[in-house]
Amino acid sequence: MLRIADLVDDEPAKRDKVSNALKDPAHKNNRDHVDIIIALGMAKEGFDWIWCEHALTVGYRASLTEIVQIIGRATRDAEGKMRARFTNLIAEPDAAAEAVTEAVNDTLKAIAASLLMEQVLAPRFNFTPKTVKSGPVEGFDYGEGGYDPNKENVGFDEASGQFQIEIKGLVEPKSKEAKRICQEDLNEVITAFVQDKTTIERGLFDEELVPEELTQVRMGKIVGARFPELDAEDQEAVRQHAVAALNLTQKAKEIALSNRDDTETTGNTALIDGVRKFAMDVRELDIDLIDRINPFGEAYSILAKTMSEESLRQVQAVISAKKVQLSPDEARDLAKRAVKFKQERGRLPSITSPDPWEKKMAEGVAYLARMKQEAANG
């Protein structure tokens, strides 16, 4: 027998009766009280059934915030509940169709949602700059051998589920508000980043993309627009913390999936083990390395597995057809990065450099110089 709670029925008396039955404290600890809940808007905030293990959503939602709320229904703690699943059913782009833009949009929303949820459910990160004064923090386990003052360390507090990760070159927030954002609101910054359609389109389908264009320029613009009251240094600190959190989560997931046959890695600790492994395996964990990771790389791999090659090529063609050209605003952002590059290295970026990011910054400087010359010539 399946006990189904129907919250879609428009008859108020019936719907209220079902809703009240779900909220009845007498059945809070009875996981057999209901098997399936069918809901529309109520799935966002209308019921709190802690035993829910699988949220199945049909069709794309209007915003990622809605998806987070729906998934929240399935991620409540309950005794004996070891895992939760979220499935989003959307239409696959039809390679035979002339216009697949809407289907592409649906697919991108689903990918963005999955990226965001990985971050929402990830352990909490406490990033600190690696300096000569750095030392161990009480309560954190630094693994075999303990804290090493000669390298970037990764500590984990099992009680709080929090990571303490040292990163060379990390900008530390100065103001009280910037510190609060880095501690509490990074998910909001990442949400804005993965909701930016241009960002995920280029991250997934632009084969010539330099990752720094996403992690530095696009994320920098999003942070600047969201927190205009912060000064430039604090905005850069927020940007670096958000990119580090997103990319570490992605790399950890990649490692966790590659180790899925490893009996020593359990489902509950796979992401934690992945973060530790990635951070410890790299010779030097610095912000330059983190900026060079495309956070959408793993999403592209998943997309390639779940769609036919023909459909994927069709999607890529749609995106390539409207490939973003360098705009004056983007050129200014690149020029700002070029100034910072000169301050650090004592020279301007070279347009003939084999480093694609240095070349891109030089292109931004050249673009602005050409605009200035054209304006002078009338």
PDB file of all heavy atoms in Angstrom, residues 125-154:
ATOM      1  N   PHE A 125      33.931  26.341   4.152  1.00  0.00           N
ATOM      2  CA  PHE A 125      35.347  26.624   3.952  1.00  0.00           C
ATOM      3  C   PHE A 125      35.769  27.869   4.725  1.00  0.00           C
ATOM      4  O   PHE A 125      35.064  28.875   4.721  1.00  0.00           O
ATOM      5  CB  PHE A 125      35.656  26.855   2.459  1.00  0.00           C
ATOM      6  CG  PHE A 125      35.449  25.638   1.612  1.00  0.00           C
ATOM      7  CD1 PHE A 125      34.400  25.574   0.704  1.00  0.00           C
ATOM      8  CD2 PHE A 125      36.302  24.552   1.705  1.00  0.00           C
ATOM      9  CE1 PHE A 125      34.207  24.456  -0.087  1.00  0.00           C
ATOM     10  CE2 PHE A 125      36.120  23.423   0.915  1.00  0.00           C
ATOM     11  CZ  PHE A 125      35.074  23.374   0.027  1.00  0.00           C
ATOM     12  N   ASN A 126      36.919  27.790   5.365  1.00  0.00           N
ATOM     13  CA  ASN A 126      37.527  28.948   6.018  1.00  0.00           C
ATOM     14  C   ASN A 126      38.901  29.134   5.385  1.00  0.00           C
ATOM     15  O   ASN A 126      39.872  28.489   5.764  1.00  0.00           O
ATOM     16  CB  ASN A 126      37.647  28.697   7.529  1.00  0.00           C
ATOM     17  CG  ASN A 126      38.359  29.833   8.240  1.00  0.00           C
ATOM     18  OD1 ASN A 126      38.343  30.971   7.777  1.00  0.00           O
ATOM     19  ND2 ASN A 126      39.015  29.537   9.357  1.00  0.00           N
ATOM     20  N   PHE A 127      38.975  30.019   4.353  1.00  0.00           N
ATOM     21  CA  PHE A 127      40.225  30.229   3.629  1.00  0.00           C
ATOM     22  C   PHE A 127      41.081  31.272   4.346  1.00  0.00           C
ATOM     23  O   PHE A 127      40.574  32.324   4.752  1.00  0.00           O
ATOM     24  CB  PHE A 127      39.946  30.703   2.193  1.00  0.00           C
ATOM     25  CG  PHE A 127      39.153  29.716   1.383  1.00  0.00           C
ATOM     26  CD1 PHE A 127      37.865  30.009   0.960  1.00  0.00           C
ATOM     27  CD2 PHE A 127      39.692  28.483   1.046  1.00  0.00           C
ATOM     28  CE1 PHE A 127      37.135  29.108   0.220  1.00  0.00           C
ATOM     29  CE2 PHE A 127      38.966  27.565   0.296  1.00  0.00           C
ATOM     30  CZ  PHE A 127      37.685  27.881  -0.117  1.00  0.00           C
ATOM     31  N   THR A 128      42.378  30.989   4.469  1.00  0.00           N
ATOM     32  CA  THR A 128      43.299  31.938   5.096  1.00  0.00           C
ATOM     33  C   THR A 128      44.542  32.078   4.223  1.00  0.00           C
ATOM     34  O   THR A 128      44.992  31.104   3.607  1.00  0.00           O
ATOM     35  CB  THR A 128      43.718  31.467   6.502  1.00  0.00           C
ATOM     36  OG1 THR A 128      44.314  30.163   6.402  1.00  0.00           O
ATOM     37  CG2 THR A 128      42.524  31.389   7.438  1.00  0.00           C
ATOM     38  N   PRO A 129      45.130  33.288   4.163  1.00  0.00           N
ATOM     39  CA  PRO A 129      46.362  33.468   3.382  1.00  0.00           C
ATOM     40  C   PRO A 129      47.529  32.735   4.051  1.00  0.00           C
ATOM     41  O   PRO A 129      47.635  32.712   5.273  1.00  0.00           O
ATOM     42  CB  PRO A 129      46.590  34.993   3.416  1.00  0.00           C
ATOM     43  CG  PRO A 129      45.328  35.582   3.950  1.00  0.00           C
ATOM     44  CD  PRO A 129      44.665  34.537   4.776  1.00  0.00           C
ATOM     45  N   LYS A 130      48.397  32.134   3.241  1.00  0.00           N
ATOM     46  CA  LYS A 130      49.586  31.475   3.762  1.00  0.00           C
ATOM     47  C   LYS A 130      50.702  32.515   3.899  1.00  0.00           C
ATOM     48  O   LYS A 130      51.137  33.099   2.907  1.00  0.00           O
ATOM     49  CB  LYS A 130      50.035  30.346   2.825  1.00  0.00           C
ATOM     50  CG  LYS A 130      51.339  29.656   3.243  1.00  0.00           C
ATOM     51  CD  LYS A 130      51.202  28.978   4.595  1.00  0.00           C
ATOM     52  CE  LYS A 130      52.478  28.238   4.976  1.00  0.00           C
ATOM     53  NZ  LYS A 130      52.393  27.609   6.310  1.00  0.00           N
ATOM     54  N   THR A 131      51.136  32.780   5.135  1.00  0.00           N
ATOM     55  CA  THR A 131      52.215  33.724   5.395  1.00  0.00           C
ATOM     56  C   THR A 131      53.221  33.086   6.344  1.00  0.00           C
ATOM     57  O   THR A 131      53.005  31.983   6.851  1.00  0.00           O
ATOM     58  CB  THR A 131      51.664  35.022   6.028  1.00  0.00           C
ATOM     59  OG1 THR A 131      51.146  34.720   7.340  1.00  0.00           O
ATOM     60  CG2 THR A 131      50.558  35.639   5.182  1.00  0.00           C
ATOM     61  N   VAL A 132      54.308  33.803   6.610  1.00  0.00           N
ATOM     62  CA  VAL A 132      55.335  33.288   7.539  1.00  0.00           C
ATOM     63  C   VAL A 132      54.785  33.190   8.961  1.00  0.00           C
ATOM     64  O   VAL A 132      55.323  32.458   9.797  1.00  0.00           O
ATOM     65  CB  VAL A 132      56.593  34.188   7.520  1.00  0.00           C
ATOM     66  CG1 VAL A 132      57.291  34.074   6.180  1.00  0.00           C
ATOM     67  CG2 VAL A 132      56.223  35.645   7.809  1.00  0.00           C
ATOM     68  N   LYS A 133      53.711  33.944   9.235  1.00  0.00           N
ATOM     69  CA  LYS A 133      53.125  33.932  10.573  1.00  0.00           C
ATOM     70  C   LYS A 133      52.020  32.884  10.727  1.00  0.00           C
ATOM     71  O   LYS A 133      51.459  32.726  11.808  1.00  0.00           O
ATOM     72  CB  LYS A 133      52.557  35.321  10.910  1.00  0.00           C
ATOM     73  CG  LYS A 133      53.604  36.427  10.958  1.00  0.00           C
ATOM     74  CD  LYS A 133      52.953  37.766  11.281  1.00  0.00           C
ATOM     75  CE  LYS A 133      53.977  38.894  11.310  1.00  0.00           C
ATOM     76  NZ  LYS A 133      53.348  40.200  11.577  1.00  0.00           N
ATOM     77  N   SER A 134      51.702  32.177   9.641  1.00  0.00           N
ATOM     78  CA  SER A 134      50.617  31.185   9.696  1.00  0.00           C
ATOM     79  C   SER A 134      50.951  30.054  10.662  1.00  0.00           C
ATOM     80  O   SER A 134      52.113  29.660  10.810  1.00  0.00           O
ATOM     81  CB  SER A 134      50.369  30.606   8.302  1.00  0.00           C
ATOM     82  OG  SER A 134      49.954  31.605   7.396  1.00  0.00           O
ATOM     83  N   GLY A 135      49.899  29.525  11.310  1.00  0.00           N
ATOM     84  CA  GLY A 135      50.088  28.424  12.240  1.00  0.00           C
ATOM     85  C   GLY A 135      48.827  27.606  12.368  1.00  0.00           C
ATOM     86  O   GLY A 135      47.781  27.957  11.806  1.00  0.00           O
ATOM     87  N   PRO A 136      48.891  26.496  13.094  1.00  0.00           N
ATOM     88  CA  PRO A 136      47.714  25.630  13.255  1.00  0.00           C
ATOM     89  C   PRO A 136      46.604  26.316  14.036  1.00  0.00           C
ATOM     90  O   PRO A 136      46.865  27.130  14.917  1.00  0.00           O
ATOM     91  CB  PRO A 136      48.264  24.415  14.007  1.00  0.00           C
ATOM     92  CG  PRO A 136      49.473  24.924  14.720  1.00  0.00           C
ATOM     93  CD  PRO A 136      50.068  25.985  13.845  1.00  0.00           C
ATOM     94  N   VAL A 137      45.361  25.992  13.702  1.00  0.00           N
ATOM     95  CA  VAL A 137      44.193  26.524  14.402  1.00  0.00           C
ATOM     96  C   VAL A 137      43.641  25.423  15.288  1.00  0.00           C
ATOM     97  O   VAL A 137      43.495  24.274  14.857  1.00  0.00           O
ATOM     98  CB  VAL A 137      43.120  27.005  13.399  1.00  0.00           C
ATOM     99  CG1 VAL A 137      41.881  27.499  14.136  1.00  0.00           C
ATOM    100  CG2 VAL A 137      43.674  28.085  12.494  1.00  0.00           C
ATOM    101  N   GLU A 138      43.349  25.769  16.520  1.00  0.00           N
ATOM    102  CA  GLU A 138      42.868  24.788  17.496  1.00  0.00           C
ATOM    103  C   GLU A 138      41.572  24.134  17.030  1.00  0.00           C
ATOM    104  O   GLU A 138      40.661  24.800  16.536  1.00  0.00           O
ATOM    105  CB  GLU A 138      42.659  25.468  18.859  1.00  0.00           C
ATOM    106  CG  GLU A 138      42.347  24.486  19.977  1.00  0.00           C
ATOM    107  CD  GLU A 138      42.185  25.185  21.331  1.00  0.00           C
ATOM    108  OE1 GLU A 138      42.564  26.372  21.438  1.00  0.00           O
ATOM    109  OE2 GLU A 138      41.687  24.525  22.250  1.00  0.00           O
ATOM    110  N   GLY A 139      41.499  22.820  17.176  1.00  0.00           N
ATOM    111  CA  GLY A 139      40.293  22.083  16.814  1.00  0.00           C
ATOM    112  C   GLY A 139      40.335  21.459  15.436  1.00  0.00           C
ATOM    113  O   GLY A 139      39.461  20.672  15.079  1.00  0.00           O
ATOM    114  N   PHE A 140      41.368  21.809  14.626  1.00  0.00           N
ATOM    115  CA  PHE A 140      41.461  21.289  13.267  1.00  0.00           C
ATOM    116  C   PHE A 140      42.496  20.165  13.179  1.00  0.00           C
ATOM    117  O   PHE A 140      43.590  20.262  13.747  1.00  0.00           O
ATOM    118  CB  PHE A 140      41.829  22.406  12.285  1.00  0.00           C
ATOM    119  CG  PHE A 140      40.689  23.350  11.997  1.00  0.00           C
ATOM    120  CD1 PHE A 140      40.476  24.471  12.791  1.00  0.00           C
ATOM    121  CD2 PHE A 140      39.817  23.112  10.949  1.00  0.00           C
ATOM    122  CE1 PHE A 140      39.421  25.335  12.542  1.00  0.00           C
ATOM    123  CE2 PHE A 140      38.757  23.967  10.688  1.00  0.00           C
ATOM    124  CZ  PHE A 140      38.563  25.076  11.480  1.00  0.00           C
ATOM    125  N   ASP A 141      42.132  19.108  12.455  1.00  0.00           N
ATOM    126  CA  ASP A 141      43.032  17.974  12.233  1.00  0.00           C
ATOM    127  C   ASP A 141      43.738  18.173  10.898  1.00  0.00           C
ATOM    128  O   ASP A 141      43.084  18.296   9.851  1.00  0.00           O
ATOM    129  CB  ASP A 141      42.214  16.676  12.214  1.00  0.00           C
ATOM    130  CG  ASP A 141      43.053  15.458  11.837  1.00  0.00           C
ATOM    131  OD1 ASP A 141      44.285  15.539  11.956  1.00  0.00           O
ATOM    132  OD2 ASP A 141      42.466  14.442  11.420  1.00  0.00           O
ATOM    133  N   TYR A 142      45.075  18.206  10.909  1.00  0.00           N
ATOM    134  CA  TYR A 142      45.850  18.457   9.693  1.00  0.00           C
ATOM    135  C   TYR A 142      46.404  17.169   9.080  1.00  0.00           C
ATOM    136  O   TYR A 142      47.318  17.211   8.255  1.00  0.00           O
ATOM    137  CB  TYR A 142      46.993  19.442   9.999  1.00  0.00           C
ATOM    138  CG  TYR A 142      46.464  20.814  10.350  1.00  0.00           C
ATOM    139  CD1 TYR A 142      46.244  21.171  11.678  1.00  0.00           C
ATOM    140  CD2 TYR A 142      46.150  21.740   9.366  1.00  0.00           C
ATOM    141  CE1 TYR A 142      45.737  22.417  12.012  1.00  0.00           C
ATOM    142  CE2 TYR A 142      45.642  22.987   9.688  1.00  0.00           C
ATOM    143  CZ  TYR A 142      45.436  23.326  11.014  1.00  0.00           C
ATOM    144  OH  TYR A 142      44.933  24.563  11.332  1.00  0.00           O
ATOM    145  N   GLY A 143      45.851  16.042   9.481  1.00  0.00           N
ATOM    146  CA  GLY A 143      46.232  14.784   8.868  1.00  0.00           C
ATOM    147  C   GLY A 143      47.524  14.220   9.423  1.00  0.00           C
ATOM    148  O   GLY A 143      48.080  14.701  10.416  1.00  0.00           O
ATOM    149  N   GLU A 144      48.021  13.182   8.742  1.00  0.00           N
ATOM    150  CA  GLU A 144      49.238  12.508   9.180  1.00  0.00           C
ATOM    151  C   GLU A 144      50.428  13.464   9.153  1.00  0.00           C
ATOM    152  O   GLU A 144      50.667  14.149   8.158  1.00  0.00           O
ATOM    153  CB  GLU A 144      49.513  11.316   8.250  1.00  0.00           C
ATOM    154  CG  GLU A 144      50.578  10.374   8.783  1.00  0.00           C
ATOM    155  CD  GLU A 144      50.751   9.144   7.891  1.00  0.00           C
ATOM    156  OE1 GLU A 144      49.814   8.853   7.118  1.00  0.00           O
ATOM    157  OE2 GLU A 144      51.805   8.518   7.968  1.00  0.00           O
ATOM    158  N   GLY A 145      51.142  13.547  10.253  1.00  0.00           N
ATOM    159  CA  GLY A 145      52.296  14.453  10.324  1.00  0.00           C
ATOM    160  C   GLY A 145      51.949  15.805  10.901  1.00  0.00           C
ATOM    161  O   GLY A 145      52.833  16.584  11.242  1.00  0.00           O
ATOM    162  N   GLY A 146      50.663  16.122  11.003  1.00  0.00           N
ATOM    163  CA  GLY A 146      50.245  17.394  11.601  1.00  0.00           C
ATOM    164  C   GLY A 146      50.542  18.600  10.735  1.00  0.00           C
ATOM    165  O   GLY A 146      50.751  18.493   9.521  1.00  0.00           O
ATOM    166  N   TYR A 147      50.549  19.766  11.354  1.00  0.00           N
ATOM    167  CA  TYR A 147      50.736  21.032  10.643  1.00  0.00           C
ATOM    168  C   TYR A 147      52.187  21.184  10.173  1.00  0.00           C
ATOM    169  O   TYR A 147      53.124  20.977  10.941  1.00  0.00           O
ATOM    170  CB  TYR A 147      50.359  22.199  11.560  1.00  0.00           C
ATOM    171  CG  TYR A 147      50.378  23.547  10.875  1.00  0.00           C
ATOM    172  CD1 TYR A 147      49.249  24.043  10.234  1.00  0.00           C
ATOM    173  CD2 TYR A 147      51.533  24.322  10.867  1.00  0.00           C
ATOM    174  CE1 TYR A 147      49.266  25.273   9.602  1.00  0.00           C
ATOM    175  CE2 TYR A 147      51.558  25.560  10.239  1.00  0.00           C
ATOM    176  CZ  TYR A 147      50.423  26.027   9.608  1.00  0.00           C
ATOM    177  OH  TYR A 147      50.446  27.251   8.970  1.00  0.00           O
ATOM    178  N   ASP A 148      52.362  21.558   8.892  1.00  0.00           N
ATOM    179  CA  ASP A 148      53.696  21.761   8.324  1.00  0.00           C
ATOM    180  C   ASP A 148      53.862  23.249   7.991  1.00  0.00           C
ATOM    181  O   ASP A 148      53.189  23.757   7.088  1.00  0.00           O
ATOM    182  CB  ASP A 148      53.863  20.923   7.057  1.00  0.00           C
ATOM    183  CG  ASP A 148      55.273  21.007   6.479  1.00  0.00           C
ATOM    184  OD1 ASP A 148      56.040  21.886   6.924  1.00  0.00           O
ATOM    185  OD2 ASP A 148      55.598  20.198   5.587  1.00  0.00           O
ATOM    186  N   PRO A 149      54.736  23.976   8.707  1.00  0.00           N
ATOM    187  CA  PRO A 149      54.890  25.420   8.463  1.00  0.00           C
ATOM    188  C   PRO A 149      55.495  25.753   7.100  1.00  0.00           C
ATOM    189  O   PRO A 149      55.456  26.904   6.667  1.00  0.00           O
ATOM    190  CB  PRO A 149      55.830  25.869   9.596  1.00  0.00           C
ATOM    191  CG  PRO A 149      56.537  24.630  10.021  1.00  0.00           C
ATOM    192  CD  PRO A 149      55.598  23.493   9.801  1.00  0.00           C
ATOM    193  N   ASN A 150      56.031  24.758   6.390  1.00  0.00           N
ATOM    194  CA  ASN A 150      56.706  25.010   5.111  1.00  0.00           C
ATOM    195  C   ASN A 150      55.813  24.785   3.894  1.00  0.00           C
ATOM    196  O   ASN A 150      56.291  24.842   2.763  1.00  0.00           O
ATOM    197  CB  ASN A 150      57.951  24.118   5.002  1.00  0.00           C
ATOM    198  CG  ASN A 150      58.970  24.419   6.090  1.00  0.00           C
ATOM    199  OD1 ASN A 150      59.248  25.585   6.370  1.00  0.00           O
ATOM    200  ND2 ASN A 150      59.506  23.374   6.715  1.00  0.00           N
ATOM    201  N   LYS A 151      54.533  24.501   4.105  1.00  0.00           N
ATOM    202  CA  LYS A 151      53.636  24.319   2.954  1.00  0.00           C
ATOM    203  C   LYS A 151      52.236  24.813   3.302  1.00  0.00           C
ATOM    204  O   LYS A 151      51.959  25.188   4.448  1.00  0.00           O
ATOM    205  CB  LYS A 151      53.592  22.837   2.550  1.00  0.00           C
ATOM    206  CG  LYS A 151      52.880  21.944   3.559  1.00  0.00           C
ATOM    207  CD  LYS A 151      52.671  20.539   2.989  1.00  0.00           C
ATOM    208  CE  LYS A 151      51.723  19.740   3.884  1.00  0.00           C
ATOM    209  NZ  LYS A 151      51.414  18.415   3.352  1.00  0.00           N
ATOM    210  N   GLU A 152      51.359  24.811   2.289  1.00  0.00           N
ATOM    211  CA  GLU A 152      49.974  25.213   2.514  1.00  0.00           C
ATOM    212  C   GLU A 152      49.236  24.024   3.134  1.00  0.00           C
ATOM    213  O   GLU A 152      49.225  22.931   2.576  1.00  0.00           O
ATOM    214  CB  GLU A 152      49.302  25.617   1.192  1.00  0.00           C
ATOM    215  CG  GLU A 152      49.840  26.895   0.577  1.00  0.00           C
ATOM    216  CD  GLU A 152      51.207  26.724  -0.064  1.00  0.00           C
ATOM    217  OE1 GLU A 152      51.492  25.635  -0.598  1.00  0.00           O
ATOM    218  OE2 GLU A 152      52.004  27.671   0.000  1.00  0.00           O
ATOM    219  N   ASN A 153      48.613  24.246   4.288  1.00  0.00           N
ATOM    220  CA  ASN A 153      47.996  23.164   5.049  1.00  0.00           C
ATOM    221  C   ASN A 153      46.477  23.136   4.882  1.00  0.00           C
ATOM    222  O   ASN A 153      45.844  24.167   4.616  1.00  0.00           O
ATOM    223  CB  ASN A 153      48.331  23.312   6.536  1.00  0.00           C
ATOM    224  CG  ASN A 153      49.808  23.074   6.821  1.00  0.00           C
ATOM    225  OD1 ASN A 153      50.235  21.971   7.084  1.00  0.00           O
ATOM    226  ND2 ASN A 153      50.600  24.145   6.759  1.00  0.00           N
ATOM    227  N   VAL A 154      45.920  21.943   5.064  1.00  0.00           N
ATOM    228  CA  VAL A 154      44.468  21.754   5.015  1.00  0.00           C
ATOM    229  C   VAL A 154      44.042  21.090   6.311  1.00  0.00           C
ATOM    230  O   VAL A 154      44.456  19.974   6.620  1.00  0.00           O
ATOM    231  CB  VAL A 154      44.059  20.860   3.825  1.00  0.00           C
ATOM    232  CG1 VAL A 154      42.541  20.691   3.798  1.00  0.00           C
ATOM    233  CG2 VAL A 154      44.548  21.445   2.519  1.00  0.00           C
TER     234      VAL A 154
END
